[in-house]
Amino acid sequence: MLSLNDFIGRQPAWCPGCGNFSILNAFREVMVELQIAPHEIVIVSGIGQAGKFPHYTRCNTFNGLHGRTLPVATGIKLANHHLKVFAVAGDGDCYGEGGNHLIHAIRRNPDIKLFVHNNQVYGLTKGQASPTTMRGVKTKNQPFGTVSEPLNPLALAIALDCSFVARGFAGDPEHLKMVMKEAIKHKGFSLIDILQPCVTYNKFNTYKWYRERVYHLEINYDPRDRIGAFGKALEWGEKIPIGILYKHEKTTLEEQFPIIKGEPLAEQKVDMDKIREIFSKILVKEK
Amino acid sequence: MLSLNDFIGRQPAWCPGCGNFSILNAFREVMVELQIAPHEIVIVSGIGQAGKFPHYTRCNTFNGLHGRTLPVATGIKLANHHLKVFAVAGDGDCYGEGGNHLIHAIRRNPDIKLFVHNNQVYGLTKGQASPTTMRGVKTKNQPFGTVSEPLNPLALAIALDCSFVARGFAGDPEHLKMVMKEAIKHKGFSLIDILQPCVTYNKFNTYKWYRERVYHLEINYDPRDRIGAFGKALEWGEKIPIGILYKHEKTTLEEQFPIIKGEPLAEQKVDMDKIREIFSKILVKEK
Amino acid sequence: MDYSIRIGGEAGQGIQTIGDTLAHIFAEAGYYVFTSQDYESRIRGGHNSFYIRISDKPKEAMKARLEILLALDKDSITLHGPELSENGQILYDPSLFKQTLEGPRVLSIPFLDLALKHGGSKIMMNSVAIGSIVGMLKMQPEPMIETIQKTFGKKDTEVLEANVKCAKLGYEFALKECLKCSFSVSQVLKPNTLISGNEAIGIGACASGLKFYSGYPMTPSTGIFNFIAEYARDLGIVVEQAEDEISAINMIIGASFAGVRAMTATSGGGFCLMVEGLSLAAMTETPLVVVLAQRPGPATGLPTRTEAAELLFATFAGHGEFPRVIFAPGSPKQALYLTNKAFDLSEKYQILVLILTDQYLADSQWTYDSLDMERLKYVDYRLRGKNFRNILSYNRHSFTESGVSPLGVPGDAHHLIVTDSDEHDEEGHITEDPQIRTRMVEKRLFKKIPYIKREISPPIFFGENPPDTLVVCWGSMYGVVKEVVEELKQDLKLGMLHFSEIYPFPEEDGYLRYFEKAKKVVGVEQNALSQFEKLLGMEKGISFDARINKFDGRPFTVEELKERLIAVAK
Amino acid sequence: MDYSIRIGGEAGQGIQTIGDTLAHIFAEAGYYVFTSQDYESRIRGGHNSFYIRISDKPKEAMKARLEILLALDKDSITLHGPELSENGQILYDPSLFKQTLEGPRVLSIPFLDLALKHGGSKIMMNSVAIGSIVGMLKMQPEPMIETIQKTFGKKDTEVLEANVKCAKLGYEFALKECLKCSFSVSQVLKPNTLISGNEAIGIGACASGLKFYSGYPMTPSTGIFNFIAEYARDLGIVVEQAEDEISAINMIIGASFAGVRAMTATSGGGFCLMVEGLSLAAMTETPLVVVLAQRPGPATGLPTRTEAAELLFATFAGHGEFPRVIFAPGSPKQALYLTNKAFDLSEKYQILVLILTDQYLADSQWTYDSLDMERLKYVDYRLRGKNFRNILSYNRHSFTESGVSPLGVPGDAHHLIVTDSDEHDEEGHITEDPQIRTRMVEKRLFKKIPYIKREISPPIFFGENPPDTLVVCWGSMYGVVKEVVEELKQDLKLGMLHFSEIYPFPEEDGYLRYFEKAKKVVGVEQNALSQFEKLLGMEKGISFDARINKFDGRPFTVEELKERLIAVAK
Ligand SMILES: Cc1ncc(C[n+]2csc(CCOP(=O)(O)OP(=O)(O)O)c2C)c(N)n1
Ligand SMILES: Cc1ncc(C[n+]2csc(CCOP(=O)(O)OP(=O)(O)O)c2C)c(N)n1
Ligand code: SF4
Ligand code: SF4
Ligand SMILES: [Mg+2]
Ligand SMILES: [Mg+2]
């Protein structure tokens, strides 16, 4: 039996009160509840506050570059589809630097669970606007206020027909756990955009701000209706829906390579005899 | 009076029958009809068959890197918003290599007209799948068939609340000209995804294939309804709508910098006296 | 008089505010100041520190030995306690961490208590601490009050008053209590300017007519972005944060193509992503200035610490062959003038100029008695407006004697500006012609380089001439090497050569005689592989006899370098 | 016997099919063949050509002088007509372009007409042309028929029959008509293998246990991608086209981390985008093989042509300092074995290995009488399955004598594999500790490099020993330099050194004596800046007396190099 103790890692270097703590705890509890062992998991993360996540639990860890979580995770999943692969990224990380990979990871649909710790700010680099920062917000680096339309990650994912699209809130850990579990049970690429208050740099989107707006999707909400989901995804402002906005099964990336239908690539033996036989047709001429 | 002769450039190196020719001609005719002079235009292009476009007309030209048209175009527009800036790209160029820039250019909303010559294939590099290649299509480089969901550029753009989203077809030049003119008249970032048959490498999406499917948007179609437009953008298969799917005005990027409300940056004088005065506060101490 | 002060505490406690304010107070009071920062990649907690050196003579490096240690956390004492000099004093508030220190070298002041009682908020503690240090040094209080007034001037007067009050309380407390403090400062008169490496680059860029900045945040380059953004409105600069570094470099290329001076700044990882863009700028002959603020790698490495291990990468970065200029200033002053020179050369020759700094220089502050603004040059080399309209024919990439073709501003005339990342003809259109290709390579490379080399200043020599031991360094090693050489030069017959205009090597090569004359050549580099030595070997066939390297992410202190230099020079 | 054939025409006319089929026919017939391709960056039109050299002795370079010119367009005649040797023949179909050529050196055959009449389609023209050349050479027809059968074997028999028929018609026509053709080929027996640079790398990779390939198309690397994709199903290789090169490099890093051998290939612009990933692989000590197929830059440059101007970029690419191995094969054979060695070293030392080629080598075909497949090595250095489960404790980055830590496969045991782009401790977790940092740099850099240097083979020497003139070259210059040195070695006392295992330089440095013994050292490089010479200068303090450079995007011909070498060697 796995317990929470199996998921205690290094001491977090986050600010006291940071929304990241409850995401971390939710994750640990979900792992225990689903009895997934640390060595079965790989967490791929980038650089940023969210990127430090895997160090603070126990798991196989690839803490790579800022913005590049998804290609690394895809490579891992294709090399060993038996591993449970998670990608953990910040909003700058995933929607800014890594935006192109997000689009194409969704198109590929590997069975990867992506958590975006969306604090609507660049935390680790001290408070610049991120792609989800709301219009007009001034920072040291946005002296004329944030001039771009904030990116709506859920609408984007639905437009790309992402297999599983959800929003969680760090201030509602039970709901977040539910969403995480559903994502894990779901087969296919799963995006959870997690509203994560940054108590140091985001003075606008605070716990309070989110709490006043966030609501659970209605019971009769149908996450299979793409156009309905798109409409729901556009809701942002007075009311912000959390939950599973869009969900449908489709063939995963790894299922489309017949050669890894069975054994993962990492476990397949290299057969030098076969290789020699094949290439001797090119390299060796009968004398 | 400008005439077509003012827009004759180098000899195109495209294959006979390539869809690019009619896009080029449509563009030239539009320039003549709108009486926009070559030196008022900048075309920024990338690398690919589409990327050669500006050489085949007459205009200020920045033929840059594969995938990087939009940042260059944005830099130009911000430096001189009096120029009419066009970005011309291939589907690989704009939706593959340059995918991240597309997302963020849409968010920024500079008044740039983007033409994507979407032939659903990598032409110049000889026939690999592009982000818009349909599922299952086999190529030398997709030995198990194309495994990713094709990217729907229009749905993506609408999800990002792009200011002007349209589809044209190289085989319907009059309609294409209409769309180009509307895009030019529209203020804000304008994406025209142009269905462009590649007679050499795309044996699937041929002129015939497109002709059998393409239809003009209904007269009563309302391009201001975002959710409706999203639904329309999802139509692909038996019927493919062409025309202006989504359109609404919003503040452009360049309008949001008060310092370039008037004169373009490129025409603003450098005032060394003022600069010295400002920094003498830091650099010079009264003795 | 030469005192070193270190302020240690957790991230988020205000270490930087205290340090920065003190540094400004000292400069305002007329002292020479040098500061350096040591911080972790986190926003709260951990352990950071701010180092300040204050003297009546210019000092441009960090000492290990401390006179005052302001400890806001326990780690400060564990880590920096041993660095305290004989007469050094630890200043602290016992209520902040569960530890009471005894002995004559300890001054305890109830920062928190005073702040809460008289300032009304915990954060005022920092003002108490600032006052205490000024008091310990027995300085006059006026520059302190003035500086605090400037700092808080923009906030409401109540906050300002409270801060002044707290500082005064700390000041008086220290004056009274620190009877054992043996500090005494000389009387100086004229206030000094205080600027950091990043600020100097920011000013240098703005004062070169910068009009467009695009960047993506990355420590330790972000300070430049911040600085430019701060002046954007007043100076009419468009600043735009890019979605990634690829976009940043391509945006500035676009802006430069369209006729304005443009720049970006980044660090190693971001620079990697810009490398294709450098090659694009070179091929299209678009003027471009890029700052690479180095930090320890590979990959994310130690993201808030210092190293200078990207010289060879920068020198050869980009596919294909093209000219570039590389500067690596050794001080904020050099940073200011070299940034200005970077913009000038970049536009004059339509080339890429890279400015290399590192976290140490970027975040360090130095004082000067005034910097000469008249030395800042602005010449507009572009073909604009009437001048452009009046010429009869125009080819963007025409062959010329110097390799430099006229750089027109698109839209200013009926002439078209055409350029291409493909090899192109004089007009700028794609070509496959082998003769044109060859001539274009010659134009870009062989014709321009000799002119550029003539613009490059030789390295600075300092010390005994001829030297027994020649110490060779570049970039941010300037200050610390100079101080050590200054101290040891007579005993060891030391000389130093400092390179700040790194590449290409200057046409005037008189400096080579120092290598010939010296009995021993020692390289000092903040990297593992002695990259500058390698470059000098490649370009000038010179190799060194010994080398001193440091690659733990921390800058050299005067003491460390002295010890290591004595060991190899003897 | 030594004949050169050039097939010229527009893109899309089938030049490559004709050339490739002929080359295979000749190899099958037992001759030695060398081919090289010259093409523009377009799909139809323009002018391309395919060069074939055929001999009874191995020939490994291109000659300017031609014996047969098959002209499918007018440009072929304008551009290559002057290259015809005294006994050379132009072969063409007057109906294809409005030009009639007269004279004894012209053979006109109605390709089109014969194809339409007897093959039933225009495209069969190519088979007529193939047959004509075989006929002109008075070769036996069997290898031709066999090869055509192999090529069209997969298509329906009707097409096959028609092609054979057309080829035979062309053959007979030429035999009969080309009375003036003075060609006669020696009788040889054993068929040869024919492989190109890109194929050799593809085979080398597959035969090293490659399991994952991700790439983004870019000339001239795409052939490797194509080759691997072709064998993916049979060999169980996952190939995935990435959205960009950044993704490609990060995907293969992920796959390698997860326990499989992985590779990508690209060209300069794409390589730029991978540079940050190289540094990531280094920091995480993930084994990685990357092919950089060079082409002329900067930027897009001449995208389908050849140059070798990215050596220094590749050597120093990536931020921070880390070890790497660079190979630059000089022939398909070297490419095969070096690719295999690349995978071996990369996994053994958990480092990056770069393989540099260029368009010339990538697209050239060489013949060999069989290549030894037993020389291909496969050792699995990873800690897997039971071996991994049975160890008691595991740290991914543990300090060891050799600097190499055990490379476990994630998921195979309860041990966790933790790695980080930040500086990390032995377990793989982020650290800021200066001592651990220093030890990690020493581990990655100073401990591994000496072992790696021992694995590197010295350069190949060929020619007169001791040489008067030593010709130094690297990578794809091998064949042409060798042929020229072979020809001139006695007259000029020439020797050559060819480097294919470029960096680091080998521990065994006996080859340095050639530099000492030679009176004159001449470098031959396909770039403007003599990059290899610079690298050798940096690492070994060696400089050359003269250098021959070419940077117009076209490979050296034997004649051109000979002339230029004589000029400098004399
Ligand atoms: C290529 C590159 N560019 C920039 C950086 C600097 N950097 C580190 S974290 C970060 C942004 C952090 O924001 P986000 O991803 O939202 O994460 P958060 O800290 O808010 O969790 C940046 C720009 C980097 N490490 N690498
Ligand atoms: C960084 C980089 N990667 C790859 C290439 C090679 N390349 C040139 S064009 C092209 C794709 C062309 O496809 P698309 O953009 O759809 O344009 P098309 O030719 O179909 O018009 C590629 C991959 C390049 N030039 N630069
Ligand atoms: S800066 Fe913000 S996101 Fe980062 S740890 Fe602190 S509160 Fe959390
Ligand atoms: S390859 Fe296709 S896209 Fe390119 S020019 Fe030919 S037909 Fe047009
Ligand atoms: Mg964030
Ligand atoms: Mg395309």
Side-chain angles (χ1 to χ4, degrees), chain B residues 90-92 117 119 121-123:
Chain B
D91 46 335
H117 296 212
N119 54 10
V121 76
Y122 282 17

Side-chain angles (χ1 to χ4, degrees), chain C residues 461 464 466-472 492-497 513-523 542-548 564-570:
Chain C
F461 179 81
E464 295 294 301
D468 273 3
T469 298
L470 179 67
V471 186
V472 181
L492 297 176
K493 289 208 75 196
L494 287 186
M496 81 179 254
L497 266 185
R513 67 174 180 274
Y514 294 108
F515 289 94
E516 289 153 23
K517 285 194 268 182
K519 299 199 182 111
K520 193 182 257 181
V521 180
V522 182
I542 288 170
S543 68
F544 298 175
D545 304 292
R547 50 203 61 78
I548 295 171
R564 294 181 64 180
L565 193 58
I566 290 171
V568 299
K570 278 237 164 103

Side-chain angles (χ1 to χ4, degrees), chain A residues 135 149, chain B residues 109 111 113 161-165 182-190 223-224 246-252 255:
Chain A
R135 205 147 179 162
E149 184 87 27
Chain B
N109 195 36
D111 186 17
K113 311 299 145 192
D161 203 30
C162 182
S163 177
F164 183 101
V165 182
E182 289 301 315
I184 291 167
K185 281 184 213 149
H186 180 84
K187 178 176 70 73
F189 191 83
S190 308
R224 288 171 200 274
Y246 183 53
K247 180 167 102 167
H248 68 302
E249 291 241 342
K250 49 182 182 174
T251 327
T252 63
E255 285 169 347

Side-chain angles (χ1 to χ4, degrees), chain B:
Chain B
M1 266 302 278
L2 293 158
S3 75
L4 276 180
N5 281 335
D6 293 300
F7 292 93
I8 293 176
R10 297 283 168 107
Q11 189 65 33
W14 292 319
C15 310
C18 175
N20 283 328
F21 287 101
S22 60
I23 306 176
L24 178 66
N25 288 335
F27 176 80
R28 287 171 175 157
E29 286 172 22
V30 166
M31 290 303 110
V32 173
E33 289 169 28
L34 299 181
Q35 288 287 302
I36 302 175
H39 75 281
E40 297 173 281
I41 306 167
V42 180
I43 301 186
V44 180
S45 70
I47 299 300
Q49 300 290 16
K52 299 174 182 173
F53 187 97
H55 297 283
Y56 306 154
T57 178
R58 287 184 64 252
C59 57
N60 292 299
T61 298
F62 192 99
N63 182 0
L65 299 172
H66 181 58
R68 314 302 168 196
T69 47
L70 291 173
V72 173
T74 305
I76 293 173
K77 190 74 194 178
L78 286 171
N80 189 347
H81 58 273
H82 285 175
L83 292 169
K84 298 211 180 305
V85 181
F86 294 85
V88 176
D91 46 335
D93 200 357
C94 189
Y95 305 141
E97 187 84 51
N100 205 29
H101 309 309
L102 175 64
I103 298 179
H104 295 282
I106 294 176
R107 291 181 51 228
R108 284 190 184 96
N109 195 36
D111 186 17
I112 290 170
K113 311 299 145 192
L114 167 64
F115 301 167
V116 183
H117 296 212
N118 183 359
N119 54 10
Q120 304 188 252
V121 76
Y122 282 17
L124 193 61
T125 47
K126 307 198 168 181
Q128 297 82 13
S130 88
T132 52
T133 298
M134 289 167 75
R135 206 149 181 158
V137 171
K138 277 198 188 185
T139 84
K140 276 194 183 174
N141 304 70
Q142 277 68 39
F144 305 106
T146 299
V147 293
S148 291
E149 185 86 27
L151 183 120
N152 184 325
L154 307 186
L156 179 85
I158 294 164
L160 293 162
D161 203 30
C162 182
S163 177
F164 183 101
V165 182
R167 183 186 279 130
F169 170 42
D172 189 347
E174 279 312 315
H175 178 267
L176 179 60
K177 277 173 60 183
M178 176 280 287
V179 174
M180 283 183 179
K181 280 190 208 164
E182 289 301 315
I184 291 167
K185 281 184 213 149
H186 180 84
K187 178 176 70 73
F189 191 83
S190 308
L191 163 67
I192 313 181
D193 182 77
I194 307 172
L195 303 174
Q196 174 241 319
C198 166
V199 297
T200 305
Y201 292 114
N202 193 335
K203 304 293 184 192
F204 189 75
N205 309 104
T206 58
Y207 277 105
K208 182 161 172 288
W209 190 93
Y210 288 125
R211 282 223 172 87
E212 283 166 5
R213 287 165 174 78
V214 147
Y215 73 97
H216 293 195
L217 284 174
E218 302 79 4
I219 313 221
N220 60 357
Y221 177 81
D222 175 12
R224 288 171 200 274
D225 167 12
R226 187 164 172 198
I227 296 188
F230 184 74
K232 189 52 93 177
L234 299 186
E235 263 185 42
W236 178 274
E238 290 312 293
K239 308 223 100 235
I240 301 175
I242 60 174
I244 298 154
L245 272 82
Y246 183 53
K247 180 167 102 167
H248 68 302
E249 291 241 342
K250 49 182 182 174
T251 327
T252 63
L253 175 65
E254 53 277 19
E255 285 169 347
Q256 292 180 73
F257 292 96
I259 52 178
I260 49 171
K261 273 262 145 58
E263 257 190 338
L265 211 49
E267 286 168 24
Q268 293 180 20
K269 289 275 165 307
V270 171
D271 182 347
M272 282 302 278
D273 290 336
K274 187 173 169 194
I275 291 171
R276 290 209 181 89
E277 189 197 311
I278 287 177
F279 291 121
S280 67
K281 287 185 197 114
I282 302 180
L283 295 186
V284 184
K285 291 281 163 176
E286 59 289 317
K287 303 246 165 163

Side-chain angles (χ1 to χ4, degrees), chain D residues 63-328:
Chain D
K63 301 209 75 163
R65 191 218 54 208
L66 300 176
E67 274 69 36
I68 298 177
L69 173 61
L70 167 58
L72 296 180
D73 67 354
K74 256 193 199 171
D75 283 356
S76 300
I77 293 166
T78 334
L79 289 167
H80 301 292
E83 295 162 1
L84 220 57
S85 73
E86 239 171 84
N87 300 317
Q89 288 282 331
I90 295 180
L91 171 66
Y92 85 123
D93 176 347
S95 80
L96 289 184
F97 43 95
K98 289 170 222 93
Q99 192 166 7
T100 330
L101 304 167
E102 301 288 333
R105 291 163 68 199
V106 173
L107 175 63
S108 98
I109 299 189
F111 302 141
L112 186 59
D113 200 48
L114 289 172
L116 290 174
K117 278 204 192 116
H118 304 275
S121 101
K122 200 182 154 182
I123 191 80
M124 305 276 172
M125 217 172 80
N126 293 341
S127 295
V128 182
I130 290 168
S132 311
I133 289 182
V134 178
M136 285 171 83
L137 289 169
K138 307 198 180 69
M139 282 174 51
Q140 297 302 317
E142 290 77 17
M144 173 181 86
I145 295 166
E146 250 171 62
T147 304
I148 292 179
Q149 271 163 348
K150 254 189 234 160
T151 312
F152 293 95
K154 287 168 208 151
K155 299 203 179 158
D156 65 299
T157 43
E158 229 170 283
V159 175
L160 170 61
E161 293 301 319
N163 273 295
V164 171
K165 191 167 166 197
C166 285
K168 278 185 182 163
L169 280 169
Y171 179 81
E172 278 149 27
F173 203 108
L175 260 191
K176 206 167 60 203
E177 292 295 315
C178 196
L179 303 172
K180 300 146 292 180
C181 289
S182 58
F183 310 118
S184 75
V185 292
S186 19
Q187 221 36 50
V188 281
L189 285 171
K190 49 182 181 43
N192 281 309
T193 71
L194 178 80
I195 66 169
S196 72
N198 271 347
E199 280 168 356
I201 291 175
I203 299 174
C206 294
S208 303
L210 181 81
K211 290 255 160 259
F212 187 80
Y213 183 93
S214 176
Y216 190 81
M218 190 160 193
T219 310
S221 72
T222 315
I224 298 170
F225 192 168
N226 295 348
F227 185 92
I228 290 168
E230 193 182 332
Y231 288 91
R233 197 179 287 268
D234 287 353
L235 292 173
I237 300 170
V238 170
V239 288
E240 176 62 3
Q241 185 174 309
E243 59 275 24
D244 57 27
E245 290 85 353
I246 303 175
S247 179
I249 188 101
N250 279 282
M251 271 201 220
I252 67 166
I253 289 173
S256 179
F257 169 80
V260 304
R261 289 196 172 176
M263 176 170 101
T264 189
T266 186
S267 176
F271 186 75
C272 285
L273 296 167
M274 292 186 178
V275 153
E276 194 189 13
L278 305 184
S279 183
L280 171 65
M283 190 53 142
T284 56
E285 299 186 278
T286 308
L288 210 65
V289 177
V290 174
V291 180
L292 165 55
Q294 299 163 100
R295 65 190 210 188
T300 311
L302 295 169
T304 59
R305 308 208 176 266
T306 202
E307 190 161 280
E310 282 148 15
L311 175 60
L312 291 171
F313 176 31
T315 308
F316 301 108
H319 57 306
E321 297 173 311
F322 52 89
R324 81 191 70 199
V325 167
I326 298 181
F327 291 155

